[in-house]
C-alpha cells in the first residue's frame, strides 16, 4: 500500500518541543509495568500498575492475533482509499454533531480532534459500538469480531482491577465490569498516522517531534490499545517531583491498558488516569505509518460517578463532587484536548 499525504483540511503539522529527550529504550521499558493476565498474581499486579502509573502492558490476554492482523490489513486498505471514499464514511444512525456537542463525530475524520481546534497528524475512524457505519464489508466484519473479543478482555481486566482493589465476592467484583457492559458508551477508534511529509531539522538531540495526537487523558473508565510495530506512543510518568515522557515500545502481541478519568474518580484517586500522546516519527528517518486500534469503555449516561463505597476508608472523603457520566462527557467535549478535565470536578 502506498501512503498518501493526509487530506489538507488543516494543512500544517504541529511541531512540539519535547520537554526532555526521551530516555533510553531499555530504561523506558523497565518503567512500563507488564502484567501476565493468565498468572495467579494478575489482580494484584494490575492494581499496582494502575496505582503507580495508570498504565500497563497486558500479555497472555487471550485475544487471537488473527483478529488484530485481519483488522489491521483491512484498516490499512481503508485508509489507502481516495479521500472522497473515506469522507463518505459516517454513521448512518446519527446526525453529525455540531460544535461543542457531547459526543465525538462518529465515522471518518482527519487531523481535527474534537471540535475545539485541536489538530494532530492522523486520520481516524471513531465508531460507537451500537451504531451502524458505512464501512467496506470486510472492515466492518473485522472490526466487529475484534471488538467483541476486546470488549470481553476489557471486562476481565475490570474484574481484575476490582479484585486488586480488595473488592471480594463473586458478584461484588463485577462492579466495574457491569458499569461498562451494556452502557452503550463503548467506542472503538482506529488511528492511522502516516509518516511526516516534511523534512524537519531536529535539534542536536533529535528532541523535536510532530504531534500525532496531543497529550490528554481518556475520559472513560478504561482504554485498551493495540498497535502495529511503528513507535510513537508515550506516557507521562509522574515521579517524585517531576514528570517525564516515556516511550512505550510498540508491541503488536500485547494490549496496553489505560486508566481513564472516570476510574480515577471511582477509586477516589487510587488509580491514576494517565496522560499520553503520540509523536510521529520521533526517530530520525521513520518511514512507516502507525496504526492503532483503541477500545474505550464508558458508563451509562445516567451513571453516578463517585468513589465506590466499598473502597472508602473510615472518614475518607471524596476528592470530587458527584457527577454523572452524561455531565462529564458534555463537559469533556467543551474542553481542549490537553485540558485537565477533572479539575473543575475536584473539591478543594
Ligand atoms: C480522548 C479519548 C477518545 O479518543 C475520544 C476523544 C474525543 C475525540 O477525539 O473526539 C475527545 C478526547 C477523547 C478528550 C476530550 C474531548 C473529546 C476530543 C476532545 C477534545 C473519542 C474520547 O472519548 O475523548
Amino acid at each position: 500500500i502506498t501512503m498518501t499525504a493526509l487530506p489538507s483540511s488543516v494543512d500544517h503539522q504541529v511541531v512540539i518541543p519535547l520537554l526532555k529527550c526521551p530516555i533510553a529504550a531499555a530504561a523506558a521499558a523497565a518503567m512500563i509495568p507488564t502484567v501476565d493476565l493468565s498468572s495467579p498474581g494478575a489482580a494484584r499486579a494490575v492494581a499496582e500498575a494502575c496505582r503507580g502509573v495508570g498504565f500497563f502492558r497486558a500479555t497472555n490476554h487471550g485475544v487471537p492475533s488473527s483478529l488484530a492482523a485481519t483488522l489491521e490489513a483491512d484498516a490499512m486498505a481503508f485508509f489507502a482509499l481516495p479521500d472522497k471514499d473515506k469522507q463518505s464514511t459516517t454513521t448512518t444512525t446519527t446526525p453529525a454533531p455540531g460544535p461543542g456537542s457531547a459526543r465525538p463525530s462518529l465515522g471518518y475524520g482527519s487531523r481535527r480532534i474534537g471540535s475545539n481546534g485541536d489538530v494532530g497528524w492522523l486520520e481516524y475512524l471513531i465508531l460507537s459500538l451500537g451504531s451502524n457505519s458505512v464501512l467496506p464489508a470486510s472492515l466492518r466484519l473485522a472490526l466487529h469480531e475484534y471488538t467483541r473479543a476486546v470488549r470481553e478482555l476489557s471486562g476481565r481486566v475490570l474484574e481484575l482491577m476490582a479484585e486488586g482493589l480488595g473488592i471480594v465476592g463473586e458478584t461484588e467484583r463485577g462492579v466495574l465490569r457491569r458499569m461498562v457492559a451494556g452502557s452503550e458508551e463503548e467506542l472503538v477508534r482506529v488511528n492511522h498516522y502516516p509518516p511526516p511529509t516534511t523534512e524537519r531539522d531536529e535539534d542536536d538531540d533529535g528532541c523535536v517531534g510532530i504531534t500525532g495526537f496531543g497529550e490528554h487523558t481518556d475520559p472513560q473508565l478504561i482504554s485498551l490499545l493495540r498497535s502495529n510495530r511503528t513507535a510513537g506512543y508515550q506516557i507521562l510518568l509522574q515521579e517524585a517531583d517531576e514528570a517525564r515522557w516515556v516511550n512505550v515500545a510498540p508491541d503488536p502481541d500485547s494490549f496496553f491498558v489505560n486508566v481513564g478519568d472516570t476510574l480515577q474518580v471511582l477509586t477516589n484517586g487510587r488509580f491514576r488516569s494517565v496522560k499520553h500522546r503520540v509523536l510521529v516519527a520521533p526517530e530520525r528517518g521513520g518511514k512507516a505509518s502507525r496504526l492503532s486500534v483503541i477500545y474505550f469503555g464508558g458508563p451509562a449516561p445516567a451513571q453516578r460517578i463517585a468513589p465506590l463505597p466499598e473502597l472508602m476508608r473510615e472518614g475518607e472523603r471524596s476528592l470530587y463532587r458527584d457527577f454523572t457520566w452524561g455531565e462529564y462527557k458534555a463537559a469533556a467535549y467543551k474542553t481542549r484536548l490537553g485540558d485537565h478535565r477533572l479539575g473543575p470536578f475536584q473539591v478543594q
Side-chain angles (χ1 to χ4, degrees):
I1 301 167
T2 51
M3 287 304 149
T4 51
L6 286 168
S8 53
S9 49
V10 181
D11 57 13
H12 57 285
Q13 293 180 340
V14 186
V15 180
I16 48 166
L18 302 182
L19 296 176
K20 279 199 151 190
C21 288
I23 46 176
M31 294 168 173
I32 313 292
T34 296
V35 179
D36 173 352
L37 293 183
S38 68
S39 77
R44 179 193 290 260
V46 162
E48 193 188 312
C50 294
R51 286 178 194 264
V53 186
F55 181 84
F56 64 92
R57 184 167 72 107
T59 60
N60 284 319
H61 46 70
V63 176
S65 60
S66 59
L67 293 183
T70 305
L71 175 55
E72 194 175 301
D74 284 324
M76 281 300 204
F78 172 81
F79 288 119
L81 291 173
D83 275 359
K84 62 169 179 13
D85 296 355
K86 292 187 282 190
Q87 308 279 10
S88 65
T89 302
T90 41
T91 49
T92 49
T93 51
T94 44
S101 95
R103 56 190 180 76
S105 309
L106 300 176
Y108 176 78
S110 167
R111 299 205 188 182
R112 295 175 195 278
I113 298 171
S115 37
N116 304 315
D118 291 289
V119 291
W121 187 249
L122 85 164
E123 55 181 339
Y124 55 83
L125 278 168
I126 303 180
L127 304 161
S128 156
L129 257 53
S131 65
N132 292 312
S133 46
V134 194
L135 292 177
S138 93
L139 173 57
R140 197 160 51 143
L141 180 65
L143 260 170
H144 179 79
E145 308 266 273
Y146 174 86
T147 319
R148 191 162 53 186
V150 176
R151 212 180 172 195
E152 171 60 30
L153 172 61
S154 159
R156 272 175 52 216
V157 172
L158 287 167
E159 283 213 6
L160 289 171
M161 286 174 169
E163 210 183 310
L165 282 161
I167 300 176
V168 287
E170 196 69 28
T171 321
E172 288 80 354
R173 64 167 195 231
V175 61
L176 298 171
R177 175 180 211 153
R178 283 189 300 269
M179 265 188 214
V180 173
S183 67
E184 295 188 41
E185 291 289 321
E186 296 167 275
L187 296 173
V188 60
R189 171 171 205 145
V190 188
N191 287 331
H192 174 230
Y193 303 89
T197 46
T198 46
E199 286 302 325
R200 211 166 272 289
D201 288 337
E202 292 170 355
D203 66 12
D204 290 346
D205 307 309
C207 287
V208 165
I210 288 163
T211 306
F213 205 113
E215 65 177 86
H216 67 284
T217 59
D218 293 341
Q220 295 83 357
L221 272 87
I222 189 173
S223 319
L224 281 82
L225 175 145
R226 189 255 172 209
S227 80
N228 68 1
R229 278 181 210 287
T230 304
Y233 193 95
Q234 300 186 322
I235 61 169
L236 189 64
L237 207 74
Q238 209 73 50
E239 286 168 321
D241 52 352
E242 60 163 359
R244 52 180 172 164
W245 289 102
V246 175
N247 287 327
V248 176
D251 175 7
D253 299 323
S254 299
F255 277 88
F256 290 96
V257 179
N258 262 18
V259 171
D261 297 342
T262 299
L263 192 52
Q264 178 170 316
V265 176
L266 290 168
T267 61
N268 208 26
R270 287 167 176 75
F271 284 5
R272 284 204 241 183
S273 161
V274 67
K275 263 202 175 174
H276 52 283
R277 68 181 182 188
V278 174
L279 296 188
V280 175
E283 298 125 50
R284 236 173 261 268
K287 284 281 171 282
S289 64
R290 173 177 165 91
L291 189 94
S292 60
V293 184
I294 310 111
Y295 161 91
F296 302 97
Q303 175 69 52
R304 174 174 173 262
I305 310 300
L308 298 172
E310 47 274 62
L311 290 182
M312 300 294 269
R313 278 186 288 269
E314 212 178 297
E316 184 176 342
R317 298 238 219 107
S318 176
L319 300 172
Y320 310 91
R321 68 166 178 80
D322 280 22
F323 56 90
T324 62
W325 168 248
E327 252 181 273
Y328 192 59
K329 208 167 61 145
Y333 277 95
K334 293 191 185 111
T335 61
R336 293 293 300 263
L337 189 59
D339 287 352
H340 178 43
R341 273 176 286 284
L342 275 179
F345 294 86
Q346 268 160 7
V347 281
Q348 296 335 305

